[in-house]
Amino acid sequence: MGFKNYILVCGGTGCESSKSDQIYKNLIEEAAAQGVSDQVQVIKTGCFGFCEQGPIVKVLPEDSFYVKVKPEDAKELISEHVIKGREVTRLLYSKAPKKPLEKVEDIQFYQKQIRVVLRNCGVIDPENIDDYIANDGYVALEKALFEMSEDDIINEMKLSGLRGRGGAGFPTWMKWNFTKQAEGDVKYVVCNADEGDPGAYMDRSTLEGDPHSVLEAMTICGKAIGAHQGFIYIRAEYPLAIHRLEVAMKQAREYGLLGKDILGSGFDYDIEIRLGAGAFVCGEETALLQSIEGHRGMPQPRPPFPASKGLWGKPTVINNVETWANVPVIIAKGGAEFAKIGTPDSRGTKVFALTGKVCNSGLVEVPMGTTLREIVFDIGGGIANGRKFKAVQTGGPSGGVITEENLDTPIDFGGLQRIGSMMGSGGMIVMDDSDCIVDVAKFYLEFTRDESCGKCFPCRIGGKSLYNLLDKITIGNGTEEDLEELKTIAHAMQKGSLCALGQTAPNPVLSTLRYFPEEYEAHIKDKKCPAGKCKKLIRYQIDPNRCIGCTACSRKCPVGAISGELKKPHTINQSACIKCGVCRQTCKFSAITVE
Amino acid sequence: MAKLSLEELRALRKKESQRIEKRDIHGRDIHVVVGMGTCGIQAGAKVTLNSIVDEIEAKGLKNVIVTQAGCQGKCDQEPVVEVYTPQLGAVAYGKVDAKLAKQIVDEHIIAGKVLSDHKISLEV
């Protein structure tokens, strides 16, 4: 007896934090309680990407796309959808019965997306190796072990044009080739899963939704370069991804897809997990290798590059999670096929974590060459709450802002560099007109200041100085000379820092200075924050014509700064006000203004 | 689970992909709807539904979606099964028991022939 319905429940961290695990359990319990366990299979998958609408539950074969599902909805989903065959319209994304033959891909969020890296996320059960195998899993490994020579594999990677997705965009095949050619009897393969950009979660979701793709890719690389041991360096704050990796590794070992004599080919290969403590600098490859070895995570001068002297001084290939996830597709389908996607500069797709002030935040995978406008406005649905688009920060703390004028730039490695930002690992934070650009730069500098390892002084002292200057500007003490000093320090850091953390940390400052000089000027000359964000430069005031004296704000004010008689306009005592904004949120009459 | 050889992995993939294919709804153009209102279930629609699903599986049909619907208003004709195919359009059958259900799969869906004796109109 086959199943009639399949219920796919999102098991990504985002949806799990909104109780998707409970939804999953309730669905199984309800199916049993209502006597239909034999008709419906409940499957927990990886991330569907549409995190804004989570938790997501998809029911097949109807392809019903249920959003913002709660654990208590399980009963109705079983009794209505599975038993009676009626869609629960109130939970559908469209809130209306689906038209015949309408597919989930027809939702605007999914149009323009191509899923290569995330091919299995939201499709398979990541904790079941059979699901992965069924979807052409380990086909690439078979090919690599039995049909291809080491050079064939590297050549296929070369044909694909794949560039490293960790940020720098170095051609992957070259890394592999250097390591293969390097002298040494022992070589290593490392997966960089130390995703640390604020707002980025592409790698976490890939590992949570499709861990086997990374294991398969690392094994293929092992064969190509002659390594027998791989390490996955992942931060301890990703417990679900670690758990799924451990399950996947155990299953792969049981099937003989990891370990001695893989599939009877005579090739031995195994992988170990190394947990990081969540230091941003450990995403830098030489610091990461130090950390695996048990030392403090501090970058080392390059050269020598890891390809010649890496882990324990042995030749090492180190690639990022997303890069690895592309490899099985390239080997299975051919590099030339993969190269059909994207631009001549950058082949394939890129996964972005679209967050911030956008309507549809989530995980999106688009072909390289897609414009930012398409991502923010078509896929992302534009700016939330009817506000105005201001900028997008790409590349996290190492990147820069992109403004309206550059929204139509096709996104690839070269394109983003030309407009003063960078690809980075794929964080994409959208800002609206209520975000103060100086404050944004300050936020990133506070981050890189805290995350600097302190080894080299341009980064250690420069980052702190930049932060202090920005802080000075946001509290209204900035001078014209400070702007020049910001630039001087920034250029010195770019030139003098040892690793990419220090070299790129000034990028948010330089790019905001380049695109929003008037906003810096307003803080310095007029002592005003145009976005109404910098507390020292703004005043909350009550408009006496609008205030009806309801006392709601004065009761909410945490410092008792608002006073007045009942039914008469109130006033704010400016010396006591801490500018928390609670009164403004409380007022039902829009009587409180900021200037 | 013992370690796999190359042949065993390939055999496993073949078996598992058949299992997972059932979840893939792309390119399916035949739609079977079984009326599962209270009246339908009481008349044995569940047995009918199981029979249809089993037969589709036994014949290895990959382009069929089987879904359920509520009562269609023809309670005296339950269990009611409606079949949409690109060639024959929508055709409804009444009083479909397990045996007739199998026949619908074999003759209507596979052979493309309407079973006129059991055809009903859904107009109320």
Side-chain angles (χ1 to χ4, degrees), chain A residues 439-460:
Chain A
D439 188 58
V440 168
K442 192 174 100 174
F443 165 79
Y444 283 114
L445 261 298
E446 184 179 9
F447 179 82
T448 40
R449 181 200 65 179
D450 290 349
E451 293 291 344
S452 170
C453 77
K455 179 169 177 163
C456 69
F457 80 86
C459 174
R460 182 180 69 234

Side-chain angles (χ1 to χ4, degrees), chain A residues 101-169:
Chain A
L101 300 177
E102 192 181 19
K103 298 246 171 0
V104 168
E105 293 88 84
D106 296 337
I107 295 173
Q108 201 190 10
F109 178 76
Y110 286 107
Q111 289 178 9
K112 303 199 173 182
Q113 292 204 47
I114 296 183
R115 294 190 138 206
V116 176
V117 173
L118 303 174
R119 61 192 176 278
N120 282 325
C121 290
V123 177
I124 65 164
D125 175 355
E127 298 191 22
N128 183 353
I129 189 172
D130 291 343
D131 268 24
Y132 180 71
I133 290 174
N135 260 6
D136 289 338
Y138 291 107
V139 167
L141 182 64
E142 276 182 38
K143 258 179 103 173
L145 289 182
F146 295 97
E147 294 165 27
M148 299 170 87
S149 70
E150 288 77 1
D151 287 324
D152 288 344
I153 298 172
I154 289 175
N155 198 40
E156 213 58 63
M157 294 301 294
K158 186 178 178 181
L159 277 175
S160 76
L162 180 68
R163 297 174 62 173
R165 299 294 194 245

Side-chain angles (χ1 to χ4, degrees), chain A residues 218-392:
Chain A
M218 291 175 72
T219 313
I220 293 168
C221 177
K223 150 97 192 232
I225 66 161
H228 301 283
Q229 179 69 51
F231 291 95
I232 299 176
Y233 186 84
I234 182 166
R235 37 183 56 211
E237 61 218 59
Y238 279 2
L240 188 62
I242 294 165
H243 169 73
R244 299 238 165 105
L245 270 174
E246 281 169 344
V247 170
M249 282 163 54
K250 182 167 168 282
Q251 292 175 343
R253 282 194 195 107
E254 280 170 8
Y255 275 0
L257 294 163
L258 278 180
K260 294 247 176 264
D261 190 18
I262 294 172
L263 295 174
S265 65
F267 178 66
D268 303 337
Y269 189 82
D270 214 332
I271 296 174
E272 280 180 37
I273 293 178
R274 285 287 188 276
L275 299 185
F280 183 61
V281 73
C282 287
E284 199 282 333
E285 58 183 15
T286 57
L288 185 152
L289 297 177
Q290 289 286 308
S291 181
I292 291 182
E293 290 179 21
H295 306 297
R296 278 185 74 160
M298 283 182 157
Q300 303 297 307
R302 293 180 304 181
F305 287 92
S308 53
K309 273 187 125 178
L311 200 54
W312 289 293
K314 308 291 182 191
T316 303
V317 162
I318 172 162
N319 284 136
N320 142 286
V321 171
E322 192 181 333
T323 314
W324 288 120
N326 277 300
V327 172
V329 179
I330 293 169
I331 299 299
K333 296 192 174 156
E337 191 62 31
F338 180 86
K340 287 181 185 164
I341 310 170
T343 65
D345 170 81
S346 317
R347 304 290 183 187
T349 61
K350 180 76 195 84
V351 185
F352 291 102
L354 185 63
T355 55
K357 307 286 177 61
V358 69
C359 289
N360 302 331
S361 62
L363 206 60
V364 304
E365 181 171 356
V366 289
M368 294 278 192
T370 305
T371 67
L372 211 53
R373 189 183 297 282
E374 289 174 288
I375 296 179
V376 176
F377 289 92
D378 295 342
I379 297 172
I383 307 301
N385 305 321
R387 298 199 74 104
K388 208 171 151 292
F389 172 84
K390 183 166 192 170
V392 183

Side-chain angles (χ1 to χ4, degrees), chain B residues 107-124:
Chain B
E107 295 179 25
H108 185 122
I109 296 178
I110 298 177
K113 224 169 54 201
V114 177
L115 301 146
S116 332
D117 297 351
H118 304 279
K119 191 179 161 186
I120 58 164
S121 157
L122 279 183
E123 275 169 38
V124 188

Side-chain angles (χ1 to χ4, degrees), chain A residues 4 39 82-83 131 142, chain B residues 10 13 19 46 49 68:
Chain A
K4 280 181 295 295
Q39 296 177 21
V82 175
I83 295 183
D131 268 24
E142 276 182 38
Chain B
R10 287 181 176 160
R13 180 177 302 118
R19 175 179 65 83
K46 201 167 165 179
L49 179 64
Q68 306 160 47

